Amino acid sequence: MAEITSQDMAAMREAIALSAATLADEKPAGGPFGAVIYKDGKKIAGGFNHVLADNDPSAHGEIYTIRMACKALGSWDLSGCALYTSCEPCPMCLMTAKWANIEKIYFAATRADAAAIGFRDDELYQMLKDGVYATAIPECREEAVAVMRQWREKFAESGKY
């Protein structure tokens, strides 16, 4: 387990403060979740949940902050960054952070804490574990794979990606 520094604690308190920003208005922008991203000791981005304000179920605090960090750095690759989030990331946020190559992820409250106030994060993790998250249509697999191969040939193998 990584050693927690005073900088980590300060960054986490920033994420928690952002989560509290959702309490400021009569109608919240979203759930009580905030996040910040740091790289080389400098804050790159910070934000909070905007699901309700944006009518966007993907506008979680972590996703919002990852999007802002990518814009700030001009890259989808957030290697060398650390994500601090007020609550354990849901599966979508965790996987987005991993896709973005965020190396360290810290959280304060747990998914059990989120469940205690009505959020379904733990249920979603269980769905992934049980493998009941989607239904494959095998008859269309080859069509989809053909497009994937074409993409690889056009972009990945040519070095354009």
Side-chain angles (χ1 to χ4, degrees), residues 92 150 152:
M92 174 184 68
Q150 290 170 9
R152 182 189 65 212

Side-chain angles (χ1 to χ4, degrees), residues 57-97:
S58 71
H60 290 196
E62 298 92 338
I63 300 294
Y64 197 83
T65 302
I66 289 168
R67 289 173 181 160
M68 290 178 14
C70 288
K71 286 180 184 175
L73 295 176
S75 175
W76 63 269
D77 186 353
L78 299 180
S79 293
C81 290
L83 170 67
Y84 299 85
T85 180
S86 62
C87 188
E88 184 176 0
C90 75
M92 174 184 68
C93 293
L94 178 61
M95 293 305 115
T96 301

Side-chain angles (χ1 to χ4, degrees), residues 1-41:
M1 178 173 257
E3 179 184 340
I4 304 300
T5 68
S6 59
Q7 277 188 314
D8 294 325
M9 295 291 289
M12 183 59 70
R13 288 195 170 101
E14 283 184 71
I16 294 168
L18 285 165
S19 74
T22 64
L23 301 172
D25 297 323
E26 279 301 309
K27 182 178 179 191
F33 308 106
V36 294
I37 292 177
Y38 273 75
K39 183 172 187 175
D40 300 326

Side-chain angles (χ1 to χ4, degrees), residues 131-139:
V132 294
Y133 51 86
T135 301
I137 301 178
E139 296 83 3

Side-chain angles (χ1 to χ4, degrees), residues 135-156:
T135 301
I137 301 178
E139 296 83 3
C140 296
R141 180 177 172 268
E142 283 305 316
E143 295 170 56
V145 170
V147 173
M148 294 166 75
R149 287 185 185 128
Q150 290 170 9
W151 182 90
R152 182 189 65 212
E153 290 167 10
K154 183 172 182 176
F155 297 109

